[in-house]
Amino acid sequence: MALPDTQAYSANDPATFQAETQWVVDHIKDQRIAFVSHLGDIVDKNGEPAQWEVAKQSMRTLHGKVPYGLAVGNHDMVGATGDSSNFGAAFPQ
């Protein structure tokens, strides 16, 4: 299963982001979901802590229920330097 481009949800519609991850949990068995890949652009603005909190809470729904991985998109880092430390702080290993 793939979750693409949730940046608009992190910025303006946290309920939809939460609903997406809850849908995954609710359908793990009937949809045979073995892994969830977030394809990046988790947040819209890397420097907005509130957006990272929305993302963290929404993705936390999957913890212990289905394995998942996240890719860092261009919105998730500082473009000029590639600094993704806010991603690392929100999603430590």
Side-chain angles (χ1 to χ4, degrees):
M1 158 130 244
L3 292 176
D5 297 298
T6 57
Q7 73 264 27
Y9 304 145
S10 293
N12 302 310
D13 193 4
T16 297
F17 198 161
Q18 182 63 45
E20 276 191 337
T21 54
Q22 187 60 53
W23 184 92
V24 171
V25 169
D26 293 345
H27 293 277
I28 290 170
K29 290 189 185 198
D30 64 90
Q31 295 295 314
R32 297 172 44 187
I33 300 169
F35 188 84
V36 177
S37 294
H38 194 299
L39 304 178
D41 290 338
I42 301 161
V43 299
D44 187 46
K45 295 193 177 171
N46 175 55
E48 295 289 329
Q51 292 184 25
W52 285 110
E53 189 58 33
V54 167
K56 188 166 59 172
Q57 292 299 321
S58 295
M59 294 303 293
R60 189 172 287 154
T61 303
L62 305 177
H63 281 303
K65 298 181 176 74
V66 63
Y68 65 92
L70 301 104
V72 178
N74 64 307
H75 288 255
D76 306 324
M77 65 177 86
V78 178
T81 64
D83 177 7
S84 61
S85 58
N86 289 335
F87 168 83
F91 298 102
Q93 292 185 9

